[in-house]
């Protein structure tokens, strides 16, 4: 016997402990030291919010009344978790990718982000969970009363059932508001709450196992003895009949519930930090359930056999230790039950409040106050926070009302199963969302609506029968006396269990309506896109997890990151980045989710409109900015499609451009080939001419020598000398051709060394001096005033000089021919000018004189001064270019031609530093 | 539920195993089969049907445990077509 | 007044041709600069002209065109020599009413024969005109 004050004080102290735990966990999570809080173990324990006070107290009651049926409630979830690979994994993947905040969000997101569907799901959830919350209130009030009276039948002094229930509800409301809505940034993950829930899961587990061990091995001598005693006392320890439809129904319901219950969805899906935690939960959660159920039957049978007639079997967990005067254990058991109740209330009310505020309050607020988002940055966040707190209070109050109305009626289990059957109405739409691409929002609305109506009529309404004569009458006679519509005997199906009956009709009509309506209606574009995203989540690779890490913030305002994402999708990375940089908007890691100024949003819209049209741009941006109907990922999806189309057409355009370019290149190449061909012809013609000229002399003279035996010796010698001369000329010509070819193809690599060009020039002049004397030409030279070093090859330099000087000498037809060579040094260059007083180069040939194969004095042209220059000038030109220098025709001091050769000075003056001065183009 | 032909045979086998466990578990927990063990017998003083249910339950847990141990690749993103 | 005027810039070929034609019995004069050919023709009034196409100063074909438009020299027999043997050049020369065309390298006999033919034609024409 414990005093009520002590019990309540203990409970309050326990809540204080939880609060401290949650506070510390939140703090650690914020500091990024979540560590253990984000472990698979904590995840698994938090999923155990499935075990409410219904499990803690009610399972024993169920076992006492209905035998093994209670096990079905835990085996359904076991099957779901063991088969996690098929359903839960996909659910999680999608939810992470789409930043799902609740089951209502999930379903509406899949069905084209339908707000109608979200509202329907929210309403169904609130209506179905209200009895469940009432169940917890009932369990807590009952347990408080039981533990503070000796026999479990007394009343708490000064406080009635209703008052106690209200007090508990209010306490829970305050507690949940403090816990679940502390975050002002409206994030849907609550590490503090999860930590508290996991702690509570441990407490209830240890408490139940402790009671079980105490009963089985403390009070009794093992399970076999308990069964034997129960059998002796006249209780049926075996199943009264074969497992039938009710077993299957409960199994099915519990499997649905572990997915569809808003609090399970919240914990399993929304609060999940890592998909891989499922791997642990897949076996650990069923194991938790098994251990929680292990002692249920022994406790029930021991209680039945030993407790006085009329004791509430739902409270055996408390009353058995109390009957054995184990007050500490009883208090521990009470705390365990209190844990299971409070954890359920906390998570369920948080999940429901998120749904209510996101899907009902916020859309309404946005509708009636259009400029809420523009008003102030925190406007929506504050609204959400207020609406969540209010929702929690309202939901708990509704739970209390239900508890108060249903009063003493019934045990714990039926209430829970009513809730299960209610949330099971989500299942057809949920499965369709995951696996059926063709399901439409109208199908989901119609199916779920009808299923919910049938549930309300056949299961929910009858639960008020005990407190309402009208409902009882309805049950007996049907509305307006229509027997076929009696809630528990639709169309005359009156002989089945009410739960089986309700589930049969609601599921049949729900799924049937979903399928038929979906087949009869069409999806709109967004629905089709979302269906693809959901059904093919694994096909679309990493997209789902791509930006899932940024949290699940309500898109109440447009962050620079979001805008950048959108801009990037529509405009491409480069343009988006340029745009953002131009506007000075920081994004990515620097921005830390900062908002972009409205002016920029307008500018971005304009920018987007240029890519995807004004209407689409406006819709896209308003979605991101408001963040109501369309999630960012959906926008991304649309944008991705747009980009794909754009990039596809870009690709086509690029291809055709490429083709056009290729055609142009081919044309150019062709023209070049033609030009080369012409050049080749010219070259051959030129070579032919150059070869034919000496050949002519040789042949002609040979014929003379052959035919004219009577030539005198001097004449003969003269002719032989000419033949030799022409042969040498021919040889030189062929050498030149080969030399040019080698230079042209760069085959002859030469090293550029620092050389003295003056020396090379002197050598060239020595060579040419003989010819000059022969021709009686005035040959003069002006030396450079200082020593010079250039990078080059002295032989090649000499070759160039000889060529130019020889030309100047050979083609000078002035009566008093003169050739003057002058070298000088400028700031950067060494220059040699070779000038003569000949006829000069006709102006029309000056531009082309260094071109290969160009011959001056083509047939039909007015002849220039240098017919048949051969290849010498071209060779010289090529060589000088390879020495990084220039050869050009300039106005000289003499009236004839003046060639100037300019070579860059070598910076490293002393020739000793050989190799340090290499001209760039050595090949 | 066979995997696409281009996937390694081992992968397909493990995928099938992931399917067999819950499917088989469901079968074992449904009436026609379940009622085979519901015949009022006692095992060590405990009703057979309870022992059977707990046995199946335990087997499922151990199976899931073994499977997650043996499937380290689940962390990887599944190949296209592996839509569970 | 000479029998043959040779316009050729290549000294060796000029020397050979002079030797060849002189030895055959004709009197030979020569010119190496294209620009001086017409003047030389007017001055020396040769029996015929052996004209190289590629001459410095003025191309042989250009000289031929001028010759044919000068009424006084229009009937001057011209033997074209060219080191470019393409038929294109030959056609061009014949279009300009060259009387003969020989490409280098040539057989000495061909040149002598052509000179003989052209001088013969001219002699016949002069005889006919009285």
């Amino acid at each position: 016997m414990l005093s009520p004050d002590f019990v309540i004080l203990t409970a309050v102290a326990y809540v204080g402990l939880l609060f401290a735990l949650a506070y510390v966990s939140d703090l650690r999570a914020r500091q990024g030291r979540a560590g253990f809080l984000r472990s698979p173990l904590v995840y698994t324990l938090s999923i155990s919010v499935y075990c409410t006070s219904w499990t803690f107290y009610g399972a024993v009651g169920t076992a006492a009344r209905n035998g093994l049926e209670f096990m079905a409630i835990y085996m359904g979830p076991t099957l779901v978790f063991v088969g996690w690979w098929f359903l839960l994994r996909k659910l999680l993947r999608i939810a992470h990718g789409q930043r799902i905040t609740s089951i209502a969000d999930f379903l509406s997101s899949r069905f084209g982000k339908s707000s109608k569907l979200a509202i329907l799901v929210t309403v169904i959830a609130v209506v179905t969970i209200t009895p469940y919350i009432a169940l917890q209130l009932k369990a807590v009030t009952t347990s408080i009363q039981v533990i503070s009276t000796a026999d479990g039948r007394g009343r708490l002094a000064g406080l009635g059932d209703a008052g106690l229930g209200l007090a508990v509800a209010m306490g829970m409301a305050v507690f949940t508001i403090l816990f679940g809505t502390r975050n002002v940034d409206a994030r849907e993950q609550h590490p503090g709450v999860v930590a508290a829930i996991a702690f509570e899961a441990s407490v209830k587990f240890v408490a139940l196992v402790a009671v079980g061990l105490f009963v089985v091995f403390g009070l009794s001598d093992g399970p076999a003895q308990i069964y034997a005693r129960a059998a002796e006392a006249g209780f049926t320890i075996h199943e009264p009949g074969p497992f039938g439809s009710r077993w299957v129904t409960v199994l099915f319901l519990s499997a649905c519930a572990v997915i569809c219950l808003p609090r399970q969805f919240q914990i399993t899906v929304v609060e999940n930090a890592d998909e891989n935690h499922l791997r642990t939960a897949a076996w650990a959660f069923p194991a938790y359930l098994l251990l929680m159920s292990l002692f249920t039957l022994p406790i029930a049978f021991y209680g039945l056999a030993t407790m006085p007639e009329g004791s509430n079997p739902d409270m055996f967990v408390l009353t058995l230790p109390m009957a054995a005067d184990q007050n500490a254990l009883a208090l521990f058991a009470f705390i365990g039950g209190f844990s299971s109740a409070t954890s359920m209330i906390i998570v369920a009310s948080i999940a429901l409040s998120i749904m209510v505020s996101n899907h009902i309050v916020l859309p309404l607020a946005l509708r009636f106050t259009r400029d809420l988002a523009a008003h102030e940055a925190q406007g929506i966040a504050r609204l959400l926070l207020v609406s969540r707190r209010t929702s929690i209070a309202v939901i708990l109050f509704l739970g209390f009302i239900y508890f108060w109305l249903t009063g003493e009626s019934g045990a714990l289990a039926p209430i829970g199963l009513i809730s299960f059957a209610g949330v099971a109405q989500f299942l057809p739409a949920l499965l369709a969302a995951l696996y059926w691409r063709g399901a439409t929002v109208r199908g989901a609305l119609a199916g779920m609506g009808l299923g919910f109506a049938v549930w309300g009529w056949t299961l929910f309404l009858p639960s008020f029968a005990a407190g309402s004569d009208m409902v009882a009458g309805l049950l007996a006679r049907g509305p307006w006396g229509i027997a076929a519509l009696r809630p528990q005997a639709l169309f005359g199906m009156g002989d089945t269990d009410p739960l089986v009956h309700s589930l049969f009709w609601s599921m049949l009509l729900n799924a049937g309506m979903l399928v038929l309506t979906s087949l009869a209606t069409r999806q709109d574009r967004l629905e089709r896109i979302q269906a693809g995203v959901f059904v093919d989540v694994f096909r679309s690779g990493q997209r789902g997890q791509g930006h899932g890490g940024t949290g699940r913030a309500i898109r109440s305002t447009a962050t620079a990151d979001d805008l950048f994402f959108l801009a990037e999708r529509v405009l491409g990375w480069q343009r988006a980045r340029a745009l953002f940089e131009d506007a000075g908007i920081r994004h990515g890691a620097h921005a830390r989710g900062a908002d972009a100024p409205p002016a920029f949003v307008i500018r971005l819209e304009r920018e987007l409109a240029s890519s995807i049209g004004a209407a689409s741009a406006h819709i896209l941006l308003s979605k991101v900015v408001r963040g109501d109907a369309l999630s960012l990922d959906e926008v991304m999806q649309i944008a991705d499609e747009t980009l794909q189309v754009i990039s596809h057409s870009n690709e086509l355009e690029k291809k055709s451009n490429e083709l056009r370019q290729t055609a142009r290149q081919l044309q150019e190449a062709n023209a070049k080939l033609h030009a080369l061909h012409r050049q080749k012809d010219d070259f051959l013609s030129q070579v032919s001419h150059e070869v034919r000229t000496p050949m002519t002399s040789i042949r002609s003279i040979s014929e003379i020598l052959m035919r004219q035996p009577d030539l005198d010796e001097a004449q003969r010698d003269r002719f032989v000398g000419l033949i030799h001369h022409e042969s040498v000329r021919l040889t030189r010509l062929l050498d030149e051709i080969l030399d040019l070819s080698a230079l042209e193809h760069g085959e002859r690599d030469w090293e550029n060394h620092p050389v003295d060009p003056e020396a090379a020039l002197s050598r060239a002049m020595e060579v040419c001096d003989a010819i000059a004397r022969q021709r009686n030409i005035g040959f003069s030279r002006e030396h450079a005033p200082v020593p010079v070093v250039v990078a080059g090859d002295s032989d090649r330099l000499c070759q160039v000089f000889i060529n130019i000087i020889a030309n100047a000498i050979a083609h000078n037809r002035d009566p008093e021919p003169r050739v003057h060579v002058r070298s000088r040094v400028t700031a950067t260059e060494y220059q040699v000018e070779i000038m003569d007083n000949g006829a000069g180069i006709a102006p029309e040939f000056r531009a082309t004189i260094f071109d290969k194969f160009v011959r001056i004095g083509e047939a039909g042209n007015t002849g220039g001064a240098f017919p048949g220059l051969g290849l010498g000038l071209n060779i010289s030109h090529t060589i000088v270019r390879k020495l990084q220098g220039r050869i050009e025709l300039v106005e000289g001091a003499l009236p004839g031609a003046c060639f100037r050769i300019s070579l860059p000075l070598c910076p490293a003056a002393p020739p000793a530093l050989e190799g340090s001065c290499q001209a760039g183009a050595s090949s | 539920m066979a995997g696409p032909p281009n996937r390694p045979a081992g992968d397909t086998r493990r995928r099938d195993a992931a399917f067999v466990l819950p499917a088989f578990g469901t079968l074992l927990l449904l009436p026609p089969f379940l009622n085979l063990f519901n015949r009022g017998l006692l095992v060590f003083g405990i009703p057979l049907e309870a022992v059977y249910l707990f046995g199946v339950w335990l087997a499922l847990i151990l199976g899931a445990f073994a499977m997650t141990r043996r499937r380290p690749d689940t962390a990887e993103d599944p190949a296209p077509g592996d839509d569970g | 007044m000479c029998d043959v005027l040779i316009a050729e810039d290549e000294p060796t070929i000029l020397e050979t041709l002079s030797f060849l034609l002189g030895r055959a019995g004709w009197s030979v004069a020569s010119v190496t600069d294209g620009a001086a050919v017409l003047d030389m023709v007017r001055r020396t009034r040769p029996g015929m002209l052996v004209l190289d196409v590629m001459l410095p100063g003025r191309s042989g074909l250009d000289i031929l065109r001028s010759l044919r438009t000068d009424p006084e020299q229009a009937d001057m027999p011209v033997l074209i020599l060219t080191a470019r043997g393409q038929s294109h050049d030959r056609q061009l020369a014949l279009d300009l009413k060259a009387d003969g065309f020989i490409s280098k390298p040539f057989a000495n006999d061909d040149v002598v024969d052509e000179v003989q033919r052209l001088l013969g034609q001219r002699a016949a024409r002069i005889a006919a005109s009285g």
Side-chain angles (χ1 to χ4, degrees), chain A residues 490-559:
Chain A
L490 277 184
F491 308 112
M493 195 195 268
D495 52 350
T496 40
D497 181 89
L499 183 70
V500 178
H501 168 266
S502 170
L503 194 75
F504 171 77
W505 284 115
S506 61
M507 275 296 148
L508 182 74
L509 294 172
N510 184 339
M513 200 68 182
L514 168 69
V515 171
L516 291 177
T517 312
S518 290
L519 292 178
T521 53
R522 289 176 59 83
Q523 292 175 321
D524 68 18
R525 209 170 62 89
L526 189 55
E527 256 189 279
R528 211 160 45 239
I529 292 167
Q530 287 300 94
V533 169
F534 275 55
V535 174
D536 295 335
V537 66
F538 290 120
R539 245 182 270 274
S540 53
Q542 293 282 18
R543 177 186 351 199
Q545 290 191 313
H547 25 256
T550 53
R552 295 175 173 75
I554 293 278
R555 307 280 136 190
S556 49
T557 50
T559 69

Side-chain angles (χ1 to χ4, degrees), chain A residues 798-867:
Chain A
C798 190
Q799 183 186 354
V800 171
F801 294 145
I802 290 174
N803 183 270
I804 306 287
I805 294 169
N807 269 344
I809 291 170
H811 302 285
N812 193 332
R813 287 166 212 288
D814 195 81
E816 274 180 41
R818 275 176 59 205
V819 171
H820 183 64
V821 178
R822 185 170 73 184
S823 50
R824 57 181 181 175
V825 177
T826 69
T828 56
E829 284 178 332
Y830 167 73
Q831 291 180 342
V832 177
E833 287 176 357
I834 296 162
M835 57 199 95
D836 61 65
N837 61 342
I841 311 288
E844 62 262 40
F845 298 118
R846 288 192 182 159
T848 53
I849 189 159
F850 299 109
D851 285 1
K852 194 167 41 168
F853 308 131
V854 165
R855 187 181 157 78
I856 294 172
E858 291 281 300
N861 285 335
T862 312
F866 290 121

Side-chain angles (χ1 to χ4, degrees), chain A residues 30-31 99 164 464 468 497 614 628 809 874:
Chain A
R30 267 156 204 272
Q31 293 165 345
R99 297 174 187 169
L164 192 60
F464 295 98
S468 160
D497 181 89
D628 50 357
I809 291 170
N874 187 257

Side-chain angles (χ1 to χ4, degrees), chain A residues 207-260:
Chain A
L208 195 59
V209 169
V211 172
L213 288 173
F214 172 70
V215 169
V216 173
F217 299 106
L219 297 177
S220 179
D221 195 16
Q225 199 196 358
I226 291 177
Y227 281 109
R229 258 178 90 174
E232 269 172 35
F235 292 97
T236 328
I237 58 169
H238 287 290
E239 277 299 289
F243 292 97
S245 57
R246 190 171 161 94
W247 167 267
V248 178
T249 301
V250 174
L251 197 66
F252 173 76
L253 274 182
S254 62
C256 292
V258 84
I259 306 162
C260 296

Side-chain angles (χ1 to χ4, degrees), chain C residues 113-124:
Chain C
D113 288 353
E114 275 295 286
V115 170
Q116 182 122 46
R117 183 176 67 84
L118 294 181
L119 283 178
Q121 269 179 9
R122 181 182 156 81

Side-chain angles (χ1 to χ4, degrees), chain A residues 104 107-108 111 114-122 429 441 444-445 448:
Chain A
L107 288 174
S108 88
F111 291 101
S114 156
S115 47
K116 278 185 206 163
L117 190 62
I119 290 171
L120 179 63
V121 173
T122 304
V441 64
L445 277 170
M448 203 182 293

